[in-house]
Amino acid sequence: MFGKKVKELRIEKNISQSALAKALNIDRTTVMKWETEGRETSFEMLCKVADFFGVTTDYLLGRTDF
């Protein structure tokens, strides 16, 4: 669910995988693996992604719709 939500938000905001990776100070392949392989992430990174997109961690995990 996390990877699907990241991809949806990234596309909605018109942000490339590379730009998101740069903003989060991670490698682009990490973003790609979240989106395509369903790779999980650390709690710390989950919080950074939520802050970047202005959403809750529950939203990124599919626990809420907002």
CSV table of all heavy atoms in Angstrom, one decimal:
chain,number,residue,atom,x,y,z
A,1,MET,N,0.8,-1.2,0.0
A,1,MET,CA,0.0,0.0,0.0
A,1,MET,C,0.9,1.3,0.0
A,1,MET,O,0.6,2.2,-0.7
A,1,MET,CB,-0.9,0.0,1.2
A,1,MET,CG,-1.9,1.2,1.3
A,1,MET,SD,-3.0,1.4,-0.1
A,1,MET,CE,-4.1,0.0,0.0
A,2,PHE,N,1.9,1.2,0.8
A,2,PHE,CA,2.8,2.4,0.9
A,2,PHE,C,3.3,2.8,-0.5
A,2,PHE,O,3.2,4.0,-0.9
A,2,PHE,CB,4.0,2.1,1.8
A,2,PHE,CG,5.1,3.1,1.8
A,2,PHE,CD1,4.9,4.4,2.4
A,2,PHE,CD2,6.3,2.9,1.2
A,2,PHE,CE1,5.9,5.3,2.4
A,2,PHE,CE2,7.3,3.8,1.2
A,2,PHE,CZ,7.1,5.1,1.8
A,3,GLY,N,3.9,1.9,-1.3
A,3,GLY,CA,4.4,2.2,-2.6
A,3,GLY,C,3.3,2.8,-3.5
A,3,GLY,O,3.6,3.7,-4.3
A,4,LYS,N,2.1,2.2,-3.5
A,4,LYS,CA,1.0,2.7,-4.3
A,4,LYS,C,0.7,4.1,-4.0
A,4,LYS,O,0.5,4.9,-4.9
A,4,LYS,CB,-0.2,1.8,-4.1
A,4,LYS,CG,-1.4,2.2,-5.0
A,4,LYS,CD,-2.5,1.2,-4.7
A,4,LYS,CE,-3.8,1.7,-5.5
A,4,LYS,NZ,-5.0,1.0,-5.1
A,5,LYS,N,0.6,4.4,-2.7
A,5,LYS,CA,0.3,5.8,-2.3
A,5,LYS,C,1.4,6.8,-2.6
A,5,LYS,O,1.1,7.9,-3.1
A,5,LYS,CB,0.0,5.8,-0.7
A,5,LYS,CG,-1.2,5.0,-0.3
A,5,LYS,CD,-2.5,5.7,-0.8
A,5,LYS,CE,-3.7,5.0,-0.1
A,5,LYS,NZ,-4.9,5.6,-0.6
A,6,VAL,N,2.6,6.4,-2.5
A,6,VAL,CA,3.7,7.2,-2.9
A,6,VAL,C,3.6,7.6,-4.4
A,6,VAL,O,3.7,8.7,-4.8
A,6,VAL,CB,5.1,6.6,-2.5
A,6,VAL,CG1,6.2,7.4,-3.2
A,6,VAL,CG2,5.3,6.5,-1.0
A,7,LYS,N,3.4,6.5,-5.2
A,7,LYS,CA,3.3,6.8,-6.6
A,7,LYS,C,2.1,7.7,-7.0
A,7,LYS,O,2.3,8.6,-7.8
A,7,LYS,CB,3.2,5.4,-7.3
A,7,LYS,CG,3.2,5.6,-8.8
A,7,LYS,CD,3.2,4.2,-9.5
A,7,LYS,CE,3.3,4.3,-11.0
A,7,LYS,NZ,3.4,3.0,-11.7
A,8,GLU,N,1.0,7.4,-6.3
A,8,GLU,CA,-0.2,8.3,-6.6
A,8,GLU,C,0.1,9.7,-6.2
A,8,GLU,O,-0.2,10.7,-7.0
A,8,GLU,CB,-1.4,7.8,-5.8
A,8,GLU,CG,-2.0,6.5,-6.3
A,8,GLU,CD,-3.1,5.9,-5.4
A,8,GLU,OE1,-3.3,6.5,-4.3
A,8,GLU,OE2,-3.6,4.9,-5.7
A,9,LEU,N,0.7,10.0,-5.1
A,9,LEU,CA,1.0,11.3,-4.6
A,9,LEU,C,2.0,12.0,-5.5
A,9,LEU,O,1.9,13.1,-5.9
A,9,LEU,CB,1.5,11.3,-3.2
A,9,LEU,CG,0.4,11.1,-2.1
A,9,LEU,CD1,1.1,10.7,-0.8
A,9,LEU,CD2,-0.5,12.2,-2.0
A,10,ARG,N,3.0,11.2,-5.9
A,10,ARG,CA,4.1,11.7,-6.7
A,10,ARG,C,3.6,12.2,-8.1
A,10,ARG,O,3.9,13.2,-8.6
A,10,ARG,CB,5.2,10.6,-6.9
A,10,ARG,CG,6.4,11.1,-7.6
A,10,ARG,CD,7.5,10.0,-7.7
A,10,ARG,NE,7.0,8.8,-8.4
A,10,ARG,CZ,6.8,8.7,-9.7
A,10,ARG,NH1,7.1,9.8,-10.5
A,10,ARG,NH2,6.4,7.6,-10.3
A,11,ILE,N,2.7,11.3,-8.7
A,11,ILE,CA,2.2,11.7,-10.0
A,11,ILE,C,1.2,12.8,-9.9
A,11,ILE,O,1.2,13.8,-10.7
A,11,ILE,CB,1.5,10.4,-10.6
A,11,ILE,CG1,2.5,9.4,-11.0
A,11,ILE,CG2,0.6,10.8,-11.8
A,11,ILE,CD1,2.0,8.0,-11.4
A,12,GLU,N,0.4,12.8,-8.8
A,12,GLU,CA,-0.5,14.0,-8.6
A,12,GLU,C,0.2,15.3,-8.5
A,12,GLU,O,-0.3,16.3,-9.0
A,12,GLU,CB,-1.3,13.7,-7.3
A,12,GLU,CG,-2.3,14.7,-6.9
A,12,GLU,CD,-3.0,14.3,-5.6
A,12,GLU,OE1,-3.6,13.2,-5.5
A,12,GLU,OE2,-2.9,15.2,-4.7
A,13,LYS,N,1.4,15.3,-7.8
A,13,LYS,CA,2.1,16.5,-7.6
A,13,LYS,C,3.1,16.8,-8.8
A,13,LYS,O,3.9,17.7,-8.7
A,13,LYS,CB,2.9,16.4,-6.3
A,13,LYS,CG,2.1,16.1,-5.1
A,13,LYS,CD,1.5,17.3,-4.6
A,13,LYS,CE,0.8,17.0,-3.2
A,13,LYS,NZ,-0.1,17.9,-2.8
A,14,ASN,N,3.1,15.8,-9.8
A,14,ASN,CA,4.0,16.0,-11.0
A,14,ASN,C,5.5,16.0,-10.6
A,14,ASN,O,6.2,16.9,-11.0
A,14,ASN,CB,3.6,17.2,-11.8
A,14,ASN,CG,4.2,17.1,-13.2
A,14,ASN,OD1,4.4,16.0,-13.7
A,14,ASN,ND2,4.5,18.3,-13.8
A,15,ILE,N,5.9,15.1,-9.7
A,15,ILE,CA,7.2,15.0,-9.2
A,15,ILE,C,7.8,13.7,-9.7
A,15,ILE,O,7.2,12.6,-9.6
A,15,ILE,CB,7.3,15.0,-7.7
A,15,ILE,CG1,6.7,16.3,-7.1
A,15,ILE,CG2,8.7,14.8,-7.1
A,15,ILE,CD1,6.4,16.3,-5.6
A,16,SER,N,9.0,13.7,-10.3
A,16,SER,CA,9.7,12.5,-10.8
A,16,SER,C,10.2,11.7,-9.6
A,16,SER,O,10.4,12.2,-8.5
A,16,SER,CB,10.8,12.9,-11.7
A,16,SER,OG,11.9,13.5,-11.0
A,17,GLN,N,10.5,10.5,-9.9
A,17,GLN,CA,11.2,9.6,-8.9
A,17,GLN,C,12.5,10.2,-8.5
A,17,GLN,O,12.8,10.2,-7.3
A,17,GLN,CB,11.4,8.2,-9.4
A,17,GLN,CG,10.2,7.4,-9.5
A,17,GLN,CD,10.4,6.0,-10.0
A,17,GLN,OE1,11.5,5.7,-10.6
A,17,GLN,NE2,9.5,5.1,-9.8
A,18,SER,N,13.2,10.8,-9.4
A,18,SER,CA,14.5,11.4,-9.1
A,18,SER,C,14.4,12.6,-8.2
A,18,SER,O,15.2,12.8,-7.3
A,18,SER,CB,15.2,11.8,-10.4
A,18,SER,OG,15.5,10.6,-11.2
A,19,ALA,N,13.4,13.4,-8.5
A,19,ALA,CA,13.2,14.6,-7.7
A,19,ALA,C,12.8,14.3,-6.3
A,19,ALA,O,13.2,14.9,-5.3
A,19,ALA,CB,12.1,15.5,-8.3
A,20,LEU,N,11.9,13.3,-6.1
A,20,LEU,CA,11.5,12.8,-4.8
A,20,LEU,C,12.7,12.3,-4.0
A,20,LEU,O,12.9,12.6,-2.9
A,20,LEU,CB,10.4,11.8,-4.9
A,20,LEU,CG,9.9,11.2,-3.6
A,20,LEU,CD1,9.4,12.3,-2.6
A,20,LEU,CD2,8.8,10.1,-3.8
A,21,ALA,N,13.4,11.4,-4.7
A,21,ALA,CA,14.6,10.8,-4.1
A,21,ALA,C,15.6,11.9,-3.6
A,21,ALA,O,16.1,11.9,-2.5
A,21,ALA,CB,15.3,9.9,-5.0
A,22,LYS,N,15.8,12.9,-4.4
A,22,LYS,CA,16.7,14.0,-4.1
A,22,LYS,C,16.2,14.8,-2.9
A,22,LYS,O,16.9,15.1,-1.9
A,22,LYS,CB,16.9,15.0,-5.2
A,22,LYS,CG,17.9,16.1,-5.0
A,22,LYS,CD,18.1,16.9,-6.2
A,22,LYS,CE,19.1,18.0,-5.9
A,22,LYS,NZ,19.4,18.8,-7.1
A,23,ALA,N,14.9,15.1,-2.8
A,23,ALA,CA,14.3,15.8,-1.7
A,23,ALA,C,14.4,15.0,-0.4
A,23,ALA,O,14.5,15.6,0.7
A,23,ALA,CB,12.8,16.1,-2.0
A,24,LEU,N,14.3,13.7,-0.5
A,24,LEU,CA,14.4,12.8,0.7
A,24,LEU,C,15.8,12.3,1.0
A,24,LEU,O,16.1,11.6,2.0
A,24,LEU,CB,13.5,11.6,0.5
A,24,LEU,CG,12.0,11.9,0.3
A,24,LEU,CD1,11.3,10.6,0.0
A,24,LEU,CD2,11.5,12.5,1.6
A,25,ASN,N,16.8,12.7,0.1
A,25,ASN,CA,18.2,12.4,0.3
A,25,ASN,C,18.4,10.9,0.2
A,25,ASN,O,19.1,10.3,1.1
A,25,ASN,CB,18.8,13.0,1.6
A,25,ASN,CG,20.3,13.0,1.5
A,25,ASN,OD1,20.9,13.1,0.5
A,25,ASN,ND2,20.9,12.9,2.7
A,26,ILE,N,17.8,10.2,-0.7
A,26,ILE,CA,17.9,8.8,-0.9
A,26,ILE,C,18.1,8.5,-2.4
A,26,ILE,O,18.1,9.4,-3.2
A,26,ILE,CB,16.6,8.0,-0.5
A,26,ILE,CG1,15.4,8.5,-1.2
A,26,ILE,CG2,16.5,8.1,1.0
A,26,ILE,CD1,14.1,7.7,-0.9
A,27,ASP,N,18.4,7.3,-2.8
A,27,ASP,CA,18.7,6.9,-4.2
A,27,ASP,C,17.3,6.7,-4.9
A,27,ASP,O,16.4,6.3,-4.3
A,27,ASP,CB,19.5,5.6,-4.2
A,27,ASP,CG,20.1,5.4,-5.6
A,27,ASP,OD1,21.1,6.0,-5.9
A,27,ASP,OD2,19.5,4.6,-6.3
A,28,ARG,N,17.3,7.1,-6.2
A,28,ARG,CA,16.1,6.9,-7.0
A,28,ARG,C,15.6,5.5,-7.0
A,28,ARG,O,14.4,5.2,-7.1
A,28,ARG,CB,16.3,7.4,-8.4
A,28,ARG,CG,15.1,7.4,-9.3
A,28,ARG,CD,15.3,7.5,-10.7
A,28,ARG,NE,16.1,6.4,-11.3
A,28,ARG,CZ,15.6,5.2,-11.6
A,28,ARG,NH1,14.4,4.9,-11.4
A,28,ARG,NH2,16.4,4.2,-12.1
A,29,THR,N,16.6,4.5,-7.0
A,29,THR,CA,16.1,3.1,-7.0
A,29,THR,C,15.3,2.7,-5.8
A,29,THR,O,14.5,1.8,-5.9
A,29,THR,CB,17.4,2.2,-7.2
A,29,THR,OG1,18.2,2.4,-6.1
A,29,THR,CG2,18.1,2.4,-8.5
A,30,THR,N,15.5,3.4,-4.7
A,30,THR,CA,14.7,3.1,-3.5
A,30,THR,C,13.3,3.5,-3.8
A,30,THR,O,12.4,2.7,-3.4
A,30,THR,CB,15.3,3.9,-2.3
A,30,THR,OG1,16.6,3.5,-2.1
A,30,THR,CG2,14.5,3.7,-1.1
A,31,VAL,N,13.1,4.7,-4.4
A,31,VAL,CA,11.7,5.1,-4.7
A,31,VAL,C,11.1,4.1,-5.7
A,31,VAL,O,9.9,3.7,-5.5
A,31,VAL,CB,11.7,6.5,-5.3
A,31,VAL,CG1,10.3,6.9,-5.7
A,31,VAL,CG2,12.2,7.5,-4.3
A,32,MET,N,11.9,3.7,-6.7
A,32,MET,CA,11.4,2.8,-7.7
A,32,MET,C,11.0,1.4,-7.0
A,32,MET,O,9.9,0.9,-7.3
A,32,MET,CB,12.4,2.5,-8.7
A,32,MET,CG,12.0,1.6,-9.8
A,32,MET,SD,13.2,0.4,-10.5
A,32,MET,CE,14.2,-0.1,-9.1
A,33,LYS,N,11.8,1.0,-6.1
A,33,LYS,CA,11.4,-0.3,-5.4
A,33,LYS,C,10.2,-0.2,-4.5
A,33,LYS,O,9.4,-1.1,-4.4
A,33,LYS,CB,12.6,-0.8,-4.6
A,33,LYS,CG,13.8,-1.3,-5.5
A,33,LYS,CD,15.0,-1.7,-4.7
A,33,LYS,CE,16.1,-2.1,-5.6
A,33,LYS,NZ,17.3,-2.5,-4.9
A,34,TRP,N,10.0,1.0,-3.9
A,34,TRP,CA,8.7,1.2,-3.2
A,34,TRP,C,7.6,1.0,-4.1
A,34,TRP,O,6.6,0.4,-3.8
A,34,TRP,CB,8.7,2.6,-2.6
A,34,TRP,CG,9.6,2.9,-1.5
A,34,TRP,CD1,10.3,2.1,-0.7
A,34,TRP,CD2,10.0,4.3,-1.0
A,34,TRP,NE1,11.1,2.8,0.2
A,34,TRP,CE2,10.9,4.1,0.0
A,34,TRP,CE3,9.6,5.5,-1.4
A,34,TRP,CZ2,11.4,5.2,0.7
A,34,TRP,CZ3,10.1,6.6,-0.8
A,34,TRP,CH2,11.0,6.4,0.3
A,35,GLU,N,7.7,1.7,-5.3
A,35,GLU,CA,6.5,1.7,-6.2
A,35,GLU,C,6.3,0.5,-6.9
A,35,GLU,O,5.1,0.1,-7.2
A,35,GLU,CB,6.7,2.9,-7.2
A,35,GLU,CG,6.7,4.3,-6.5
A,35,GLU,CD,6.8,5.4,-7.5
A,35,GLU,OE1,6.9,5.2,-8.7
A,35,GLU,OE2,6.8,6.6,-7.0
A,36,THR,N,7.3,-0.2,-7.3
A,36,THR,CA,7.2,-1.4,-8.2
A,36,THR,C,7.2,-2.7,-7.5
A,36,THR,O,6.6,-3.7,-7.9
A,36,THR,CB,8.2,-1.4,-9.3
A,36,THR,OG1,9.5,-1.5,-8.8
A,36,THR,CG2,8.0,-0.2,-10.2
A,37,GLU,N,8.0,-2.8,-6.4
A,37,GLU,CA,8.2,-4.1,-5.7
A,37,GLU,C,7.5,-4.1,-4.4
A,37,GLU,O,7.6,-5.2,-3.7
A,37,GLU,CB,9.7,-4.3,-5.5
A,37,GLU,CG,10.5,-4.4,-6.8
A,37,GLU,CD,12.0,-4.6,-6.6
A,37,GLU,OE1,12.4,-4.8,-5.4
A,37,GLU,OE2,12.7,-4.5,-7.5
A,38,GLY,N,6.9,-3.0,-4.0
A,38,GLY,CA,6.2,-3.0,-2.7
A,38,GLY,C,7.2,-3.0,-1.5
A,38,GLY,O,6.9,-3.5,-0.4
A,39,ARG,N,8.4,-2.6,-1.8
A,39,ARG,CA,9.4,-2.6,-0.7
A,39,ARG,C,9.0,-1.7,0.4
A,39,ARG,O,8.5,-0.6,0.2
A,39,ARG,CB,10.8,-2.1,-1.3
A,39,ARG,CG,11.9,-1.9,-0.4
A,39,ARG,CD,12.9,-3.0,-0.1
A,39,ARG,NE,13.2,-3.9,-1.2
A,39,ARG,CZ,14.3,-4.0,-1.8
A,39,ARG,NH1,15.3,-3.1,-1.5
A,39,ARG,NH2,14.5,-4.9,-2.7
A,40,GLU,N,9.2,-2.1,1.6
A,40,GLU,CA,8.8,-1.3,2.8
A,40,GLU,C,9.9,-0.4,3.2
A,40,GLU,O,11.0,-0.5,2.6
A,40,GLU,CB,8.5,-2.3,4.0
A,40,GLU,CG,7.3,-3.1,3.7
A,40,GLU,CD,6.9,-4.0,4.9
A,40,GLU,OE1,7.5,-3.9,6.0
A,40,GLU,OE2,6.0,-4.8,4.7
A,41,THR,N,9.6,0.5,4.1
A,41,THR,CA,10.6,1.5,4.5
A,41,THR,C,10.7,1.6,6.0
A,41,THR,O,9.8,1.0,6.7
A,41,THR,CB,10.3,2.9,3.8
A,41,THR,OG1,11.5,3.7,4.0
A,41,THR,CG2,9.1,3.5,4.4
A,42,SER,N,11.6,2.3,6.5
A,42,SER,CA,11.7,2.5,7.9
A,42,SER,C,10.7,3.5,8.4
A,42,SER,O,10.1,4.3,7.7
A,42,SER,CB,13.1,3.1,8.3
A,42,SER,OG,13.3,4.4,7.8
A,43,PHE,N,10.4,3.5,9.7
A,43,PHE,CA,9.5,4.4,10.3
A,43,PHE,C,9.9,5.9,10.1
A,43,PHE,O,9.1,6.7,9.8
A,43,PHE,CB,9.3,4.1,11.8
A,43,PHE,CG,8.4,5.1,12.5
A,43,PHE,CD1,7.0,5.0,12.3
A,43,PHE,CD2,8.9,6.1,13.3
A,43,PHE,CE1,6.2,5.9,12.9
A,43,PHE,CE2,8.0,7.0,13.9
A,43,PHE,CZ,6.7,6.9,13.7
A,44,GLU,N,11.2,6.1,10.2
A,44,GLU,CA,11.8,7.4,10.0
A,44,GLU,C,11.5,7.9,8.6
A,44,GLU,O,11.1,9.1,8.4
A,44,GLU,CB,13.3,7.4,10.3
A,44,GLU,CG,13.9,8.8,10.1
A,44,GLU,CD,15.5,8.7,10.3
A,44,GLU,OE1,16.0,7.7,10.8
A,44,GLU,OE2,16.1,9.7,9.9
A,45,MET,N,11.7,7.1,7.6
A,45,MET,CA,11.5,7.5,6.2
A,45,MET,C,10.0,7.6,5.9
A,45,MET,O,9.6,8.5,5.2
A,45,MET,CB,12.1,6.5,5.3
A,45,MET,CG,12.0,6.9,3.8
A,45,MET,SD,12.8,8.5,3.4
A,45,MET,CE,14.5,8.3,3.8
A,46,LEU,N,9.2,6.8,6.5
A,46,LEU,CA,7.8,6.9,6.4
A,46,LEU,C,7.3,8.3,6.9
A,46,LEU,O,6.5,9.0,6.2
A,46,LEU,CB,7.1,5.8,7.2
A,46,LEU,CG,5.5,5.9,7.3
A,46,LEU,CD1,4.9,5.5,5.9
A,46,LEU,CD2,5.0,4.9,8.3
A,47,CYS,N,7.8,8.7,8.0
A,47,CYS,CA,7.5,10.1,8.5
A,47,CYS,C,8.0,11.2,7.6
A,47,CYS,O,7.3,12.2,7.3
A,47,CYS,CB,8.1,10.3,9.9
A,47,CYS,SG,7.3,9.2,11.1
A,48,LYS,N,9.2,11.0,7.0
A,48,LYS,CA,9.7,12.0,6.1
A,48,LYS,C,8.9,12.1,4.8
A,48,LYS,O,8.6,13.2,4.3
A,48,LYS,CB,11.2,11.7,5.7
A,48,LYS,CG,12.2,11.9,6.7
A,48,LYS,CD,13.6,11.6,6.3
A,48,LYS,CE,14.6,11.9,7.3
A,48,LYS,NZ,16.0,11.6,6.9
A,49,VAL,N,8.4,11.0,4.3
A,49,VAL,CA,7.6,11.0,3.1
A,49,VAL,C,6.2,11.6,3.4
A,49,VAL,O,5.7,12.4,2.6
A,49,VAL,CB,7.4,9.5,2.6
A,49,VAL,CG1,6.4,9.5,1.4
A,49,VAL,CG2,8.7,9.0,2.1
A,50,ALA,N,5.7,11.3,4.6
A,50,ALA,CA,4.4,11.9,5.0
A,50,ALA,C,4.5,13.4,5.1
A,50,ALA,O,3.7,14.2,4.6
A,50,ALA,CB,3.9,11.3,6.3
A,51,ASP,N,5.6,13.9,5.7
A,51,ASP,CA,5.9,15.3,5.8
A,51,ASP,C,6.0,16.0,4.5
A,51,ASP,O,5.5,17.1,4.2
A,51,ASP,CB,7.1,15.6,6.7
A,51,ASP,CG,6.9,15.3,8.2
A,51,ASP,OD1,5.7,15.2,8.6
A,51,ASP,OD2,7.9,15.2,8.9
A,52,PHE,N,6.8,15.3,3.6
A,52,PHE,CA,7.0,15.9,2.3
A,52,PHE,C,5.7,16.1,1.5
A,52,PHE,O,5.5,17.2,0.9
A,52,PHE,CB,8.0,14.9,1.5
A,52,PHE,CG,8.2,15.4,0.1
A,52,PHE,CD1,9.2,16.4,-0.2
A,52,PHE,CD2,7.5,15.0,-1.0
A,52,PHE,CE1,9.5,16.9,-1.4
A,52,PHE,CE2,7.8,15.5,-2.3
A,52,PHE,CZ,8.7,16.4,-2.5
A,53,PHE,N,4.8,15.1,1.5
A,53,PHE,CA,3.6,15.2,0.8
A,53,PHE,C,2.5,15.9,1.6
A,53,PHE,O,1.4,16.2,1.1
A,53,PHE,CB,3.1,13.9,0.3
A,53,PHE,CG,3.9,13.3,-0.8
A,53,PHE,CD1,4.7,12.2,-0.7
A,53,PHE,CD2,3.9,14.0,-2.1
A,53,PHE,CE1,5.4,11.7,-1.8
A,53,PHE,CE2,4.6,13.5,-3.1
A,53,PHE,CZ,5.4,12.4,-3.0
A,54,GLY,N,2.7,16.2,2.9
A,54,GLY,CA,1.6,16.8,3.7
A,54,GLY,C,0.5,15.9,4.0
A,54,GLY,O,-0.7,16.3,4.0
A,55,VAL,N,0.8,14.6,4.2
A,55,VAL,CA,-0.2,13.6,4.5
A,55,VAL,C,0.2,12.9,5.8
A,55,VAL,O,1.3,13.1,6.3
A,55,VAL,CB,-0.4,12.6,3.4
A,55,VAL,CG1,-0.9,13.3,2.1
A,55,VAL,CG2,0.8,11.8,3.1
A,56,THR,N,-0.7,12.1,6.3
A,56,THR,CA,-0.4,11.3,7.5
A,56,THR,C,0.2,10.0,7.2
A,56,THR,O,0.1,9.5,6.1
A,56,THR,CB,-1.7,11.0,8.4
A,56,THR,OG1,-2.5,10.2,7.6
A,56,THR,CG2,-2.4,12.3,8.7
A,57,THR,N,0.9,9.4,8.2
A,57,THR,CA,1.5,8.1,8.0
A,57,THR,C,0.4,7.1,7.8
A,57,THR,O,0.5,6.1,7.0
A,57,THR,CB,2.4,7.7,9.1
A,57,THR,OG1,1.7,7.8,10.4
A,57,THR,CG2,3.6,8.6,9.2
A,58,ASP,N,-0.7,7.3,8.5
A,58,ASP,CA,-1.9,6.4,8.3
A,58,ASP,C,-2.4,6.4,6.9
A,58,ASP,O,-2.7,5.3,6.3
A,58,ASP,CB,-3.0,6.8,9.2
A,58,ASP,CG,-2.8,6.2,10.6
A,58,ASP,OD1,-1.9,5.4,10.8
A,58,ASP,OD2,-3.6,6.6,11.5
A,59,TYR,N,-2.4,7.5,6.2
A,59,TYR,CA,-2.8,7.6,4.8
A,59,TYR,C,-1.8,6.8,3.9
A,59,TYR,O,-2.2,6.0,3.1
A,59,TYR,CB,-2.8,9.1,4.3
A,59,TYR,CG,-3.1,9.2,2.9
A,59,TYR,CD1,-4.4,9.0,2.4
A,59,TYR,CD2,-2.1,9.3,1.9
A,59,TYR,CE1,-4.7,9.1,1.0
A,59,TYR,CE2,-2.4,9.4,0.6
A,59,TYR,CZ,-3.7,9.2,0.1
A,59,TYR,OH,-4.0,9.3,-1.2
A,60,LEU,N,-0.5,7.0,4.2
A,60,LEU,CA,0.5,6.2,3.4
A,60,LEU,C,0.4,4.7,3.6
A,60,LEU,O,0.7,4.0,2.7
A,60,LEU,CB,1.9,6.7,3.7
A,60,LEU,CG,2.3,8.1,3.3
A,60,LEU,CD1,3.6,8.5,3.8
A,60,LEU,CD2,2.2,8.2,1.7
A,61,LEU,N,-0.1,4.3,4.7
A,61,LEU,CA,-0.2,2.9,5.0
A,61,LEU,C,-1.6,2.3,4.6
A,61,LEU,O,-1.8,1.2,4.8
A,61,LEU,CB,0.1,2.7,6.5
A,61,LEU,CG,1.5,3.0,7.0
A,61,LEU,CD1,1.6,2.9,8.5
A,61,LEU,CD2,2.5,2.1,6.3
A,62,GLY,N,-2.4,3.2,4.1
A,62,GLY,CA,-3.7,2.8,3.7
A,62,GLY,C,-4.7,2.6,4.8
A,62,GLY,O,-5.8,1.9,4.6
A,63,ARG,N,-4.5,3.2,6.0
A,63,ARG,CA,-5.4,3.1,7.1
A,63,ARG,C,-6.5,4.1,7.1
A,63,ARG,O,-7.5,3.9,7.7
A,63,ARG,CB,-4.6,3.2,8.4
A,63,ARG,CG,-3.6,2.0,8.5
A,63,ARG,CD,-2.8,2.2,9.8
A,63,ARG,NE,-3.7,2.3,10.9
A,63,ARG,CZ,-3.5,1.8,12.1
A,63,ARG,NH1,-2.4,1.2,12.4
A,63,ARG,NH2,-4.4,2.0,13.1
A,64,THR,N,-6.3,5.2,6.4
A,64,THR,CA,-7.3,6.3,6.2
A,64,THR,C,-7.3,6.7,4.7
A,64,THR,O,-6.3,6.5,4.0
A,64,THR,CB,-7.0,7.5,7.1
A,64,THR,OG1,-5.8,8.1,6.7
A,64,THR,CG2,-6.9,7.1,8.6
A,65,ASP,N,-8.4,7.4,4.4
A,65,ASP,CA,-8.5,7.9,3.0
A,65,ASP,C,-8.1,9.3,2.8
A,65,ASP,O,-8.3,9.9,1.8
A,65,ASP,CB,-9.9,7.7,2.5
A,65,ASP,CG,-10.3,6.2,2.4
A,65,ASP,OD1,-9.4,5.4,2.1
A,65,ASP,OD2,-11.5,5.9,2.5
A,66,PHE,N,-7.6,9.9,3.9
A,66,PHE,CA,-7.2,11.4,3.8
A,66,PHE,C,-5.9,11.6,4.5
A,66,PHE,O,-5.4,10.8,5.2
A,66,PHE,CB,-8.3,12.3,4.4
A,66,PHE,CG,-8.8,11.8,5.7
A,66,PHE,CD1,-8.2,12.3,6.9
A,66,PHE,CD2,-9.8,10.9,5.9
A,66,PHE,CE1,-8.6,11.9,8.1
A,66,PHE,CE2,-10.2,10.5,7.1
A,66,PHE,CZ,-9.6,11.0,8.3
